[in-house]
Amino acid sequence: MAKILVTGGLGFIGSHTVVELQNKGFEVVIIDDLSNSSLDILDRIVSITGIQPIFEKLDLKDKLGVQTFFQNHKDIKGVVHFAASKAVGESVNEPLMYYENNLTTLVYMLQEVSQLEDSNFIFSSSCTVYGQADTLPITESAPVKKAESPYGNTKQIGEEIITDVCKVNSDFNAIALRYFNPIGAHKSAKIGELPLGVPQNLVPFITQTAIGLREQLSVFGDDYPTTDGTCVRDYIHVVDLAKAHVVALERLLGAKNESNYETFNLGTGTGSSVLEVIQSFERVSGTKLNYKIANRREGDVIAAYADTKRANEVLGWKSELSLDDAMRTAWNWEQNIRKNS
């Protein structure tokens, strides 16, 4: 079966995608610099799938290291590129770090992948490219507005870089997957979201607060023009998301793409407010959450949820797991890692 490179493959979405790729029979090579992940995730992947992926610790900012890697792996048939810094709030405070981590590394990757015999590239993009959309749900044809954060800007620029490569190289095939808010964990509770330090995302902060690791959750703003005043997002189960990457990759490998650059939204098509996510957690866990209302956070858009019709019809993919499924698996994962730590 085809050899596939997954960058950031020990991260949250990356590890789940590695599992789904291996379940489909792909040979997987993982690159990760372990800056926001840990090596024991590799063992956890093996315990789920029974297969040992090839692993190389590599910082993709090391251009020579990237070149050497591809010299040693010329038989790679496709790349799923996750490796990037991803916290909106942190990007506002550390813009240069985000531009270096997310764009320099992308350029180094594309320089090498475009020279492979099989240039198939899946880009981990984001709904942040849309900024605050004029209409909801958001379709792929929605205008890409000025980004609300440096993180969002790196995804916009990343897509522009890939588009330019595709224009001048008809043999280079890419799909940008614009996903909404990934949450949840594998049903085995062996892999899940495990941010180093204080979580920047809602759900791990919820589970860490519930288990006693954090004193209190802050809900940033309750005066937005939404049903309950809190921000609305499209929360997609990470396993559904991982499966979409496999489907997109199979589309490229099967030469079924309509053009050599395509974009797809990945979400559930339903928006949930921050308070609705908290209520879902309390419902499935039986635990009351300690939270407070805080000031709005810079860089946050009011509401964003996907129109998934294109992914449903063209990719033949749709999300299957619910918000409660995601919160239940996230809580099981949190309890499991604290029990074993």
Side-chain angles (χ1 to χ4, degrees):
M1 195 66 171
K3 182 190 279 189
I4 305 301
L5 169 63
V6 181
T7 71
L10 297 184
F12 176 40
I13 308 171
S15 61
H16 287 81
T17 301
V18 169
V19 166
E20 297 304 324
L21 283 166
Q22 290 189 328
N23 285 344
K24 277 297 193 87
F26 289 101
E27 180 186 355
V28 177
V29 184
I30 296 171
I31 285 179
D32 204 295
D33 67 358
L34 304 179
S35 62
N36 195 32
S37 57
S38 62
L39 196 54
D40 78 309
I41 300 299
L42 195 60
D43 295 331
R44 292 169 177 271
I45 290 170
V46 175
S47 72
I48 293 170
T49 64
I51 302 166
Q52 178 80 48
I54 300 166
F55 172 71
E56 290 210 23
K57 183 183 177 185
L58 177 61
D59 184 341
L60 295 179
K61 295 192 297 294
D62 173 6
K63 185 173 185 175
L64 183 59
V66 174
Q67 290 172 337
T68 302
F69 172 86
F70 279 97
Q71 285 167 7
N72 295 332
H73 295 276
K74 292 180 178 176
D75 57 341
I76 284 172
K77 301 297 183 185
V79 176
V80 185
H81 182 56
F82 292 110
S85 301
K86 62 176 186 176
V88 169
E90 183 182 53
S91 78
V92 173
N93 296 323
E94 301 278 356
L96 291 178
M97 181 183 85
Y98 269 69
Y99 289 123
E100 182 182 30
N101 282 356
N102 294 7
L103 297 179
T104 304
T105 56
L106 175 63
V107 169
Y108 292 166
M109 285 292 298
L110 292 172
Q111 285 172 336
E112 300 306 314
V113 177
S114 61
Q115 296 179 52
L116 292 174
E117 187 176 332
D118 296 284
S119 299
N120 297 304
F121 195 81
I122 305 289
F123 180 56
S124 167
S125 192
S126 165
C127 65
T128 55
V129 301
Y130 299 115
Q132 181 58 65
D134 294 325
T135 57
L136 295 170
I138 301 168
T139 69
E140 288 84 353
S141 60
V144 172
K145 293 184 166 187
K146 180 173 172 55
E148 300 277 336
S149 67
Y151 165 73
N153 201 24
T154 66
K155 292 303 182 184
Q156 289 182 355
I157 297 168
E159 286 197 18
E160 290 170 1
I161 291 169
I162 295 167
T163 303
D164 288 341
V165 173
C166 287
K167 281 178 184 174
V168 297
N169 185 348
S170 60
D171 293 328
F172 186 86
N173 296 292
I175 290 178
L177 297 177
R178 296 171 174 171
Y179 28 88
F180 285 66
N181 292 62
I183 59 171
H186 194 266
K187 63 183 179 182
S188 66
K190 291 180 177 178
I191 55 173
E193 189 169 11
L194 186 60
L196 302 183
V198 179
Q200 300 286 326
N201 294 333
L202 174 62
V203 172
F205 212 112
I206 286 176
T207 58
Q208 288 188 16
T209 302
I211 212 157
L213 216 63
R214 308 288 159 200
E215 186 178 342
Q216 191 175 51
L217 170 74
S218 293
V219 175
F220 296 110
D222 66 347
D223 57 348
Y224 286 99
T226 60
T227 52
D228 58 24
T230 63
C231 287
V232 169
R233 298 289 183 271
D234 188 336
Y235 294 95
I236 176 173
H237 198 296
V238 66
V239 172
D240 281 336
L241 191 61
K243 289 178 178 177
H245 287 78
V246 179
V247 172
L249 184 64
E250 289 173 336
R251 179 174 174 80
L252 292 182
L253 294 174
K256 295 175 183 172
N257 46 319
E258 294 157 3
S259 68
N260 68 330
Y261 179 72
E262 297 179 313
T263 59
F264 295 93
N265 285 341
L266 298 180
T268 65
T270 302
S272 300
S273 72
V274 175
L275 291 181
E276 285 172 335
V277 174
I278 291 171
Q279 289 158 8
S280 172
F281 173 78
E282 291 180 337
R283 186 164 56 244
V284 301
S285 68
T287 302
K288 290 296 288 181
L289 197 69
N290 180 23
Y291 69 91
K292 66 174 182 181
I293 304 299
N295 292 330
R296 290 187 182 192
R297 182 172 59 178
E298 190 177 351
D300 279 339
V301 299
I302 300 164
Y305 53 95
D307 182 322
T308 61
K309 183 179 179 182
R310 178 167 157 75
N312 300 158
E313 294 181 355
V314 178
L315 288 181
W317 167 92
K318 66 177 180 180
S319 64
E320 296 175 345
L321 299 165
S322 68
L323 178 61
D324 281 4
D325 291 331
M327 299 309 292
R328 185 181 298 105
T329 52
W331 181 228
N332 290 343
W333 156 248
E334 185 73 55
Q335 292 174 298
N336 190 43
I337 52 172
R338 301 309 165 194
K339 179 180 67 180
N340 294 323
S341 61

